[in-house]
Amino acid sequence: MQTLRYYEREGLIPAIHRDPNGVRDYQKDELYWIHYVQALRNSGVTVASIKKYVGLVQKGSETRE
């Protein structure tokens, strides 16, 4: 659980949806990101590189190149 909070705090995954009580409610897209980031980390990709990639993805197709 700490790893997920770390990923969220560091911007490695998009903000997690929360229910009315403030409890994290992971949706399908959020779970995709979590698994993707875990795979990148297991492959040795740095946190800084993942943050940069996530930022580019969130900006949209204009950053595709």
Side-chain angles (χ1 to χ4, degrees):
M1 185 61 92
Q2 291 292 59
T3 301
L4 295 176
R5 290 182 183 140
Y6 172 76
Y7 286 173
E8 188 176 5
R9 185 176 57 247
E10 292 297 315
L12 302 180
I13 57 176
I16 302 299
H17 175 264
R18 293 178 184 255
D19 71 13
N21 294 320
V23 177
R24 287 171 180 84
D25 183 20
Y26 295 95
Q27 304 296 311
K28 184 178 179 180
D29 288 343
E30 296 159 345
L31 293 174
Y32 165 81
W33 273 106
I34 291 166
H35 290 284
Y36 189 65
V37 169
Q38 286 177 326
L40 291 172
R41 289 296 295 140
N42 289 337
S43 298
V45 178
T46 65
V47 170
S49 292
I50 296 171
K51 285 174 79 167
K52 183 176 180 180
Y53 175 75
V54 170
L56 291 171
V57 170
Q58 289 178 332
K59 286 182 181 178
S61 61
E62 66 191 45
T63 65
R64 196 167 283 172
E65 288 183 34

